Amino acid sequence: MKLRYFAWVRERVGRGEEERDIPPDVGSIADLVAFLKTQGEEYEAAFENERVVRAAIDRIHVKPNASILGAQEIAFFPPMTGG
Amino acid sequence: MKLRYFAWVRERVGRGEEERDIPPDVGSIADLVAFLKTQGEEYEAAFENERVVRAAIDRIHVKPNASILGAQEIAFFPPMTGG
Amino acid sequence: MAVRLQSEPFDAGAEIARLTKGRTDVGAVVSFTGLCRADGETGAISAMTLEHFPGMAEEELGRLETQARERWPLLDCLIVHRYGRLVPGDPIVLVIALSGHRQAAFEAANFLMDYLKTSAPFWKNEESESGSQWVSAKVEDDQRRNLW
Amino acid sequence: MAVRLQSEPFDAGAEIARLTKGRTDVGAVVSFTGLCRADGETGAISAMTLEHFPGMAEEELGRLETQARERWPLLDCLIVHRYGRLVPGDPIVLVIALSGHRQAAFEAANFLMDYLKTSAPFWKNEESESGSQWVSAKVEDDQRRNLW
């Protein structure tokens, strides 16, 4: 699975993207966040306040309960501040 | 008193402006309209539907009951259609 | 006061550039440009002539600008209105509002257009194949104005 | 679809002129320009860097444009958003909406800005004397978006 990170989520994780094997029991965005938080303190820091971090599956905004089945790329980022 | 007319009010009256002596008992815009309607059929035509015609005293919009005491210039025109 | 009446066309982009040049306090610029449409108020038109009340037009637009500046924290504001004969595609009116944050600029520009439509002394006479005709005021314009 | 992402500045006036050129069906053009303010969200700033999610940013802005065209009778529409490092006074974002009558253009431009603020994947990092800091999303922006 390709994972991407932006803004301060990227800074805390320490990279902009990575390829990572995801265990088969990880079914939703929330599951994926919980799994990543077991992968090192950089992920713990990035997802410290889980509810703040937004996610997109294949470049479409999704909620934490969205299924990641069939996803090519999942992105995590803070609330948007453009415009 | 200087009177000015714009748009179709001007076309019906047949002139853009005129100087006219106003009898002393003409106190309001409504009185002035009533007086002008006695001054010829061009005025009758212009003020045929009195409520449609708007007025300004010294370049400020006023209502029909506004006093014309001390006015330098009174203008009559249709509802505005600029912008 | 930044109100201009002119028969010449205006350049919306040049006005926006001039108003923002050298400033670092402006966060939002909203511009409205009104154009002459071939599908006019009285039907298909070939031209229109804007009559105005010189003196009162400037003063009334100035009063509207003052009201807008009292209601919203505007950093600057411009109203340009043309008069004379125009053809379809020609710009008629330009309103620009500058503010720190976007909502004030949007609302002030919208307010100025709604008020201008019903209180600035301009009258449109449209030309078509069947002659020329004065445009009637629209009830919706009065209604929109009364929403503010 | 008329959505552009670029690091270069844009010229609001040139875009308005290009979009209206040769047309006689456009009655109203509303443009919104968002600029970098010296008084930033995190205090006095010397510069800011806009990070974006390439690919998703274009797609998300395209989805917003589609929504706007479905809700209002727009004759044309343009969204330009910059990324990279900007200094106070620099333009950040441009939205232009064209319609027959003014209210559709005002509302569509306002809608696009409100939605863009909360759903387009851009993030501002502001630089000041004390270092650099990510801008926090504003609760008011979510509230404004939910009004539509």
Side-chain angles (χ1 to χ4, degrees):
Chain A
M1 179 84 73
K2 183 173 186 181
L3 302 180
R4 303 186 69 168
Y5 310 103
F6 294 93
W8 55 254
V9 176
R10 171 181 54 71
E11 288 181 343
R12 291 187 190 178
V13 169
R15 58 186 73 88
E17 55 180 82
E18 63 181 327
E19 284 289 337
R20 190 173 269 273
D21 292 328
I22 309 294
D25 62 330
V26 168
S28 68
I29 290 289
D31 293 344
L32 178 57
V33 170
F35 165 72
L36 288 171
K37 285 175 85 168
T38 68
Q39 302 297 299
E41 54 186 27
E42 66 272 35
Y43 295 98
E44 277 181 64
F47 295 102
E48 188 180 28
N49 187 347
E50 292 179 23
R51 270 179 262 178
V52 168
V53 178
R54 303 285 195 267
I57 296 178
D58 295 333
R59 302 198 293 270
I60 300 206
H61 290 285
V62 294
K63 304 226 152 144
N65 63 359
S67 167
I68 64 168
L69 191 74
Q72 304 290 308
E73 173 190 282
I74 295 177
F76 292 103
F77 42 76
M80 286 66 74
T81 57
Chain B
M1 179 82 73
K2 182 171 184 181
L3 300 180
R4 304 185 69 168
Y5 309 102
F6 293 93
W8 56 254
V9 177
R10 171 181 56 71
E11 288 183 342
R12 292 188 189 178
V13 170
R15 57 186 73 89
E17 56 181 82
E18 63 181 326
E19 283 291 336
R20 190 172 271 272
D21 293 326
I22 311 294
D25 63 328
V26 169
S28 67
I29 290 289
D31 293 344
L32 179 57
V33 170
F35 166 72
L36 288 171
K37 285 174 84 167
T38 68
Q39 302 297 300
E41 53 186 29
E42 65 270 38
Y43 296 98
E44 278 180 63
F47 294 102
E48 187 180 30
N49 188 349
E50 295 179 22
R51 267 179 263 180
V52 168
V53 178
R54 302 287 193 265
I57 297 178
D58 295 334
R59 302 199 293 270
I60 301 211
H61 291 284
V62 294
K63 304 226 151 143
N65 63 358
S67 166
I68 65 169
L69 191 74
Q72 303 291 308
E73 174 189 283
I74 296 178
F76 292 102
F77 41 78
M80 286 67 73
T81 56
Chain C
M1 285 309 163
V3 163
R4 284 199 334 248
L5 258 66
Q6 58 189 49
S7 58
E8 307 75 41
F10 52 77
D11 179 339
E15 301 293 349
I16 294 173
R18 183 178 62 74
L19 292 170
T20 51
K21 190 175 167 63
R23 295 193 79 146
T24 58
D25 57 343
V26 178
V29 181
V30 170
S31 81
F32 175 88
T33 307
L35 302 155
C36 177
R37 296 164 63 218
D39 175 26
E41 300 299 330
T42 61
I45 66 167
S46 53
M48 77 148 133
T49 300
L50 265 156
E51 178 169 334
H52 75 298
F53 183 169
M56 180 170 171
E58 292 87 333
E59 290 175 17
E60 186 63 25
L61 293 177
R63 286 189 282 268
L64 295 185
E65 186 191 341
T66 300
Q67 279 185 57
R69 286 179 185 266
E70 282 166 4
R71 289 180 66 162
W72 290 278
L74 301 182
L75 295 169
D76 209 341
C77 182
L78 173 69
I79 306 174
V80 182
H81 205 301
R82 294 178 71 187
Y83 55 85
R85 192 164 182 277
L86 307 177
V87 297
D90 281 350
I92 302 168
V93 60
L94 174 66
V95 164
I96 303 179
L98 285 71
S99 57
H101 299 280
R102 73 187 182 284
Q103 214 47 38
F106 268 120
E107 289 179 12
N110 205 340
F111 164 90
L112 285 168
M113 282 308 304
D114 280 354
Y115 265 67
L116 185 158
K117 282 263 173 188
T118 55
S119 80
F122 292 88
W123 301 274
K124 289 180 181 138
N125 188 278
E126 295 185 339
E127 294 169 41
S128 69
E129 285 186 2
S130 54
S132 75
Q133 208 175 326
W134 292 99
V135 171
S136 299
K138 286 191 265 183
V139 176
E140 310 92 86
D141 283 335
D142 279 326
Q143 289 168 340
R144 282 217 56 80
R145 177 197 161 123
N146 293 335
L147 293 178
W148 291 99
Chain D
M1 285 307 163
V3 163
R4 286 202 327 253
L5 259 65
Q6 58 189 52
S7 58
E8 307 75 41
F10 51 77
D11 180 339
E15 301 293 349
I16 293 172
R18 182 178 61 76
L19 291 170
T20 52
K21 191 177 168 63
R23 295 191 79 144
T24 59
D25 56 344
V26 178
V29 181
V30 170
S31 81
F32 174 88
T33 307
L35 302 155
C36 178
R37 297 164 63 218
D39 176 25
E41 300 300 329
T42 62
I45 66 167
S46 53
M48 76 149 137
T49 299
L50 265 157
E51 179 169 334
H52 75 297
F53 182 169
M56 180 171 171
E58 292 88 333
E59 289 175 18
E60 186 64 24
L61 293 176
R63 286 188 282 266
L64 294 185
E65 185 190 342
T66 300
Q67 280 186 57
R69 287 180 184 264
E70 281 166 4
R71 289 182 67 162
W72 290 279
L74 301 183
L75 294 169
D76 208 343
C77 180
L78 173 69
I79 306 173
V80 182
H81 206 302
R82 293 177 71 188
Y83 56 84
R85 194 164 180 276
L86 307 176
V87 296
D90 281 351
I92 303 168
V93 61
L94 174 68
V95 164
I96 302 178
L98 285 71
S99 57
H101 300 280
R102 72 186 183 286
Q103 215 47 37
F106 267 120
E107 289 179 14
N110 204 340
F111 164 89
L112 285 168
M113 281 308 304
D114 281 353
Y115 265 68
L116 185 158
K117 283 264 175 188
T118 55
S119 80
F122 292 88
W123 301 274
K124 289 180 181 137
N125 188 277
E126 295 186 339
E127 294 169 40
S128 69
E129 286 185 2
S130 54
S132 74
Q133 211 175 323
W134 292 99
V135 170
S136 299
K138 287 191 265 184
V139 176
E140 309 92 86
D141 283 336
D142 279 326
Q143 289 167 339
R144 282 216 58 78
R145 175 195 163 125
N146 293 335
L147 292 178
W148 292 99

